[in-house]
Amino acid sequence: MPNTSFPNGFNNGVSIREIPILISQNPNANVFWVNNSSNANGSDGNPGTEKKPFATLDYAIGRCTANNGDIIFVAPGHAENVATAGAIAVDMAGISIFGVAEGSNKPTFTFTETAATMAVSAASITIGGLKVVPSVDSVVSPLAITGDDCKIDIESVDLSDAVEFVRVILATGANRGYFKVKHIGRPGGIACVNGIQLNEC
């Protein structure tokens, strides 16, 4: 980890866009960047720094160490397609994933099949500042949460009356979670059933 003015971490934690990084007190935590925007030269062969970022979120997750306070920053303009169930597997406990832009520059994940998901199976995951959109109608649940003690704050946007999510978050057996969705639907749409569904939580 580079030299820092806070070698012992942050006793009171750190918040980004009002989402606390509760696990940031480890001074040896890894910090990775993901950015495949046109001017970023993102590649999964890069070291994952801000100047030489990874190209995909799933690859960055695989470079993390469980329960080490690791943080992944997803850069402005990053855009990724999610084509299968569990294509992005958030399976490393205790990591935080943050998009660092707002509006049209917010990192965007486009779900291209009805069963496509970002699967959050590990515990104590924090995700914020990302946007999810469907490119086909009736994408069932872009975020499938089964890990305990997760904090998810996400934006979803239906593209038209005929291209919608059925729901945004499906949490199954995910105890003590905090889930927040900003959903922008369409007045003529009929596919969306709910923003968040909790099963056996």
Side-chain angles (χ1 to χ4, degrees):
M1 186 173 181
N3 292 332
T4 173
S5 298
F6 303 94
N8 298 315
F10 302 90
N11 292 332
N12 297 316
V14 175
S15 292
I16 296 179
R17 302 194 192 286
E18 301 181 357
I19 301 172
I21 306 174
L22 299 175
I23 49 179
S24 63
Q25 297 182 35
N26 180 2
N28 297 312
N30 297 301
V31 176
F32 297 115
W33 283 81
V34 177
N35 188 358
N36 66 4
S37 61
S38 59
N39 60 349
N41 297 314
S43 168
D44 288 343
N46 284 342
T49 62
E50 184 176 7
K51 299 298 183 184
K52 294 185 177 181
F54 296 137
T56 63
L57 178 56
D58 190 69
Y59 186 84
I61 293 166
R63 307 285 72 74
C64 291
T65 301
N67 298 311
N68 189 52
D70 291 359
I71 302 169
I72 299 170
F73 290 113
V74 188
H78 178 80
E80 240 183 278
N81 288 342
V82 184
T84 60
I88 297 176
V90 189
D91 54 3
M92 197 68 67
I95 67 172
S96 298
I97 301 168
F98 292 105
V100 290
E102 293 293 340
S104 61
N105 284 326
K106 183 175 285 190
T108 300
F109 293 80
T110 300
F111 291 74
T112 62
E113 299 290 341
T114 58
T117 61
M118 180 186 298
V120 182
S121 60
S124 303
I125 300 296
T126 301
I127 297 175
L130 306 182
K131 180 168 65 176
V132 296
V133 301
S135 67
V136 296
D137 195 34
S138 298
V139 175
V140 177
S141 303
L143 271 79
I145 317 295
T146 56
D148 291 340
D149 302 301
C150 293
K151 182 164 187 169
I152 312 295
D153 186 344
I154 202 157
E155 177 181 331
S156 72
V157 180
D158 290 338
L159 293 189
S160 73
D161 290 352
V163 181
E164 302 175 276
F165 288 124
V166 175
R167 70 186 52 80
V168 183
I169 292 176
L170 173 63
T172 303
N175 300 309
R176 299 175 302 278
Y178 172 96
F179 308 123
K180 180 180 179 181
V181 170
K182 176 184 178 181
H183 178 67
I184 301 172
R186 302 294 173 175
I190 60 173
C192 187
V193 175
N194 46 44
I196 301 170
Q197 181 174 322
L198 306 179
N199 293 341
E200 302 177 359
C201 295

